[in-house]
Amino acid sequence: MKPIYPSIIKKSLIQNGNWAESADHSELVLHIKNVCADFPSIILGYSAHFDSKAYSNLIAEKITEWGINVFMPDFAVPLSAISHAIITRNMQLALYVEEASDSEIRLITISTHGGLFDEQDLQTKFPSSREKKGVIGSTDVLSSYVKHLSGFADPFIENGLSLKNIEIPFPELVDLLKNNEQLQILFENDINGLSAKINENGCLLRLDDNGRNLTTEDIALRIANYLKKERFTTGSIIVPKGNTETFQLIDETIEVEGNEFDLSYQAGFSDLFLGWWPDGLIALQGSSCFGDGILSAIYYIESLRTM
């Protein structure tokens, strides 16, 4: 079993409007058309990278030519918010656009369970064409995402250590987080705390201790110990190959080879406790299998106050 990996598309092809005609992306195009054959509507989100929105709009325009409706947030949102939205709305397909390099974008296809499709789910038959063009509409994915996040936060957590600051590249999301009583723990500005940064797709958490970057493994280990001891969480801990020793005493471990998308794929089909990958990705039970930097930050702060 292998995932359908994200497609890497040259920006020049998107600008010229002929990315879908490229032989490199023919399977992707057929897969989208087939998945949407009975329910011709998708969600398309995009990262906080500088030009993700512009390329998302161009991709959406092309998809409407196939008779598919595309519903997009009005601004950049985390990948975990799109993953949550497709699950709660019981839709068949969502797409997420982020920058892969200066000349390429990454297009992630998300299945109804909020994770990557399996290779066996790839549909490449030639579907019937639709006479009517689809439309582009607006959709709010952040309100339900923030409500979902607040459900993970411990409302009875004691006062104590917190972050010095947290950098989140989604201004509209920050406003919603600050207005949610359960999530104030993120913004307490402890002058002795760590500095936190969430990356442009919202999946990664990086913590800085006066110039020293904490490793993802250390962050994940602290969170895992906290969840095990304080919340009695159980399940599989998914780690990069060769990194089982640290976590074996906490719970069952599963090793994954490949890249972060192989970990996300495994997390999507496992009884997940926690999964981690270098550079800040931590996937957590009940949340997105792609990782959620904000939820990771919440749990890390709570661990500081209880352990």
Side-chain angles (χ1 to χ4, degrees), residues 98-119:
E98 62 180 3
E99 187 171 88
S101 70
D102 290 342
S103 61
E104 298 169 318
I105 66 99
R106 180 182 294 109
L107 183 61
I108 303 171
T109 54
I110 306 169
S111 180
T112 187
H113 71 286
L116 296 172
F117 284 88
D118 186 276
E119 267 188 343

Side-chain angles (χ1 to χ4, degrees), residues 76-140:
V77 299
L79 174 54
S80 52
I82 298 299
S83 178
H84 175 68
I86 190 174
I87 294 171
T88 56
R89 300 180 190 190
N90 197 28
M91 296 181 72
Q92 300 302 306
L93 176 71
L95 300 173
Y96 191 80
V97 173
E98 62 180 3
E99 187 171 88
S101 70
D102 290 342
S103 61
E104 298 169 318
I105 66 99
R106 180 182 294 109
L107 183 61
I108 303 171
T109 54
I110 306 169
S111 180
T112 187
H113 71 286
L116 296 172
F117 284 88
D118 186 276
E119 267 188 343
Q120 296 178 352
D121 298 326
L122 184 65
Q123 301 182 42
T124 56
K125 66 180 182 180
F126 287 88
S128 302
S129 58
R130 298 178 183 276
E131 296 181 2
K132 187 177 180 181
K133 184 178 179 180
V135 299
I136 297 176
S138 177
T139 188
D140 171 24

Side-chain angles (χ1 to χ4, degrees), residues 228-240:
K228 183 74 171 182
K229 295 177 181 178
E230 300 294 330
R231 297 199 177 202
F232 309 106
T233 306
T234 61
S236 298
I237 297 179
I238 306 175
V239 301

Side-chain angles (χ1 to χ4, degrees), residues 141-161:
V141 301
L142 289 183
S143 296
S144 63
Y145 169 66
V146 169
K147 183 178 180 180
H148 184 61
L149 270 181
S150 67
F152 290 108
D154 183 354
F156 305 108
I157 195 74
E158 297 179 0
N159 294 329
L161 298 172

Side-chain angles (χ1 to χ4, degrees), residues 151-210:
F152 290 108
D154 183 354
F156 305 108
I157 195 74
E158 297 179 0
N159 294 329
L161 298 172
S162 194
L163 300 174
K164 180 186 295 184
N165 52 61
I166 183 167
E167 183 179 334
I168 301 173
F170 308 102
E172 294 79 7
L173 174 58
V174 170
D175 289 342
L176 291 174
L177 293 171
K178 288 183 174 179
N179 286 326
N180 188 293
E181 184 178 354
Q182 300 297 330
L183 301 175
Q184 297 309 300
I185 193 172
L186 290 166
F187 305 103
E188 294 183 354
N189 300 111
D190 182 347
I191 60 172
N192 297 313
L194 305 177
S195 295
K197 183 176 182 179
I198 309 299
N199 77 321
E200 287 85 355
N201 68 9
C203 297
L204 310 184
L205 168 67
R206 299 187 178 102
L207 293 175
D208 177 274
D209 184 8
N210 293 318

Side-chain angles (χ1 to χ4, degrees), residues 7-24:
S7 298
I8 305 299
I9 307 175
K10 292 185 181 298
K11 292 179 178 179
S12 58
L13 285 177
I14 300 174
Q15 292 168 339
N16 295 334
N18 56 7
W19 65 271
E21 288 69 43
S22 168
D24 292 338

